[in-house]
Amino acid sequence: MERIRTRGAAQPAAPQYPARPAPGADTSSTPTPSPSPAPSPASSPASSPTARVPGQLRGEERARGEHTHSEPPPPAAPVVPRPAAGPDRPRAGVPSHTDPDAGEGLEGLPRRRPLQRHSVRGQILDALRAALVGGELAPGEVYSAPALGERFGVSATPVREAMQQLALEGAVEVVPNRGFRVIVRGARELAELAEVRAMLEVPVMVRLARTVPSAHWAELRPFAEATVTAAARGDLAGYADADRAFHRAVLSLAGNQQIVVVADDLHRRSQWPLVGAPAPRRADLLADASEHAALLDALAAQDPRRVEALLRGHLRGTER
C-alpha cells in the first residue's frame, strides 16, 4: 500500500481524459498516458469495454465511419416509390396542365395544339403563288416581307420564308435590304419551258395510251371537269391549280414519282405571266380546259397518235 501511495504521489496531476483500463487489468503497471484532446462522445469509456489510444479506430469502426455502438449511424433517407407515368401523371419532362410554365388557368382544360410555323408558311406560299398567277404581284416590282405580312395579317417571318422558297423556284429574286423582286420573263423562256414539258410528258402519255385499260380513264374525268369549272368562273389561280392537278393525275399512272414532281415544277413555272402581257380571257381558259376532255377521250380510245397530237398542241397553247 505504501508503495502504491508513493507511486501515486510521484505521478503528475491526473489527465483530464484518462485512458480506459481493461476490465480486471492491474492498474499499478499501466503507464499513464499524456493528456490528449477531449474525445468525442463516441470515445467515452462507456462505449467500449477495452482500452484504445485516442484517435485510433477499430476495424469495425473504420468500416462504419466515425460511429460507435453508442452512436448509431444516421438513418438512411426513406425511399419513396415513384408512381409510373400514366394518364394522371405525365412522364418526366412533359409539362402537365398544371405546369406553371405551361400557362396559367390551364388546370382541367385540354391543351390546344400550337400553331405550326410550317402550316402558316404553306398557306402564305399558296397565296403568293396565286398572286403571281393572277398578276397581283407584277413582274419587275419589289415587295417587302413586312408589307406583305401586313397584307396577309401575319408577321414578316413566314412571308420571308415563303418568298425564299419562291426564289428557289425562280419566281422572285432577293434584293438586299429591300425585299424580293418578281422575275421578268420573256416569250423565249416560256417557249423553252413548253419544249421541255413536251419532251417529258409526250412519251409518257403515249405509252399510257397503249398500256392503261380504257375503263380506267373514266376515273380521271372529275379532274378535267374541275378545270372547266374554274375556267367558267374566270378564276386564274383556281384554273392553274386544277390544270396542274389534271396533269399530275395522268402522269402518276406511269408509276414514276420523279416524273410527276419534275413535270409539275415545269408546269408551275410556265403559268407565271409575262411582263406586259394581258391576263388570259375566260374564253381562252375554257378552250384550254376543253382540251383536257379531248385528251382523255384519246387515251380511252388507246390512240397514241391522237394523244401525241393533242398534247403537243395543248402545250404550245401555254406559250400564248
Side-chain angles (χ1 to χ4, degrees), residues 72-90:
V79 178
V80 180
R82 186 173 183 177
D88 296 330
R89 184 181 185 274

Side-chain angles (χ1 to χ4, degrees), residues 37-276:
S40 63
S43 61
S44 60
S47 63
S48 175
T50 59
R52 61 188 174 93
V53 179
Q56 181 180 3
L57 300 178
R58 295 190 301 271
E60 180 184 358
E61 294 178 356
R62 285 197 299 269
R64 296 191 305 149
E66 294 293 339
H67 301 291
T68 64
H69 295 292
S70 62
E71 183 181 355
V79 178
V80 180
R82 186 173 183 177
D88 296 330
R89 184 181 185 274
R91 296 187 305 272
V94 179
S96 63
H97 295 312
T98 57
D99 188 348
D101 295 334
E104 299 179 359
L106 297 179
E107 184 175 0
L109 296 178
R111 180 184 294 274
R112 296 185 60 185
R113 179 177 299 178
L115 183 63
Q116 300 295 324
R117 172 174 290 184
H118 66 80
S119 65
V120 177
R121 171 184 172 276
Q123 295 176 26
I124 297 300
L125 182 58
D126 292 341
L128 290 174
R129 284 172 173 167
L132 280 171
V133 173
E136 299 176 42
L137 297 180
E141 294 295 326
V142 177
Y143 299 90
S144 68
L148 291 174
E150 184 178 356
R151 171 182 175 182
F152 291 115
V154 298
S155 66
T157 299
V159 175
R160 188 174 294 110
E161 293 174 349
M163 294 296 279
Q164 289 171 350
Q165 176 61 34
L166 291 178
L168 293 176
E169 297 175 1
V172 299
E173 61 182 357
V174 179
V175 181
N177 302 322
R178 293 186 60 191
F180 300 86
R181 177 185 290 113
V182 179
I183 293 295
V184 177
R185 303 182 309 140
R188 179 179 178 83
E189 181 178 353
L190 198 59
E192 292 174 349
L193 287 171
E195 182 180 359
V196 177
R197 288 185 63 196
M199 295 172 62
L200 186 63
E201 295 190 33
V202 170
V204 174
M205 292 198 186
V206 168
R207 176 162 53 90
L208 292 176
R210 296 190 179 102
T211 57
V212 176
S214 301
H216 188 78
W217 295 107
E219 300 177 5
L220 273 63
R221 292 289 177 182
F223 290 94
E225 294 170 358
T227 63
V228 176
T229 301
R233 294 197 307 263
D235 183 1
L236 295 178
Y239 180 78
D241 290 340
D243 186 19
R244 293 200 319 276
F246 172 81
H247 284 261
R248 286 197 306 267
V250 175
L251 294 175
S252 64
L253 297 180
N256 189 326
Q257 184 61 25
Q258 300 305 315
I259 291 178
V260 177
V261 172
V262 174
D264 187 63
D265 179 65
L266 294 171
H267 195 169
R268 177 186 293 110
R269 291 168 60 186
S270 69
Q271 293 173 334
W272 300 333
L274 299 177
V275 58

Side-chain angles (χ1 to χ4, degrees), residues 298-320:
L299 288 167
Q302 296 185 326
D303 187 347
R305 292 185 178 180
R306 176 69 174 163
V307 168
E308 180 176 357
L310 286 172
L311 184 56
R312 290 189 181 279
H314 180 68
L315 296 178
R316 283 195 300 269
T318 62
E319 302 177 27
R320 295 190 298 267

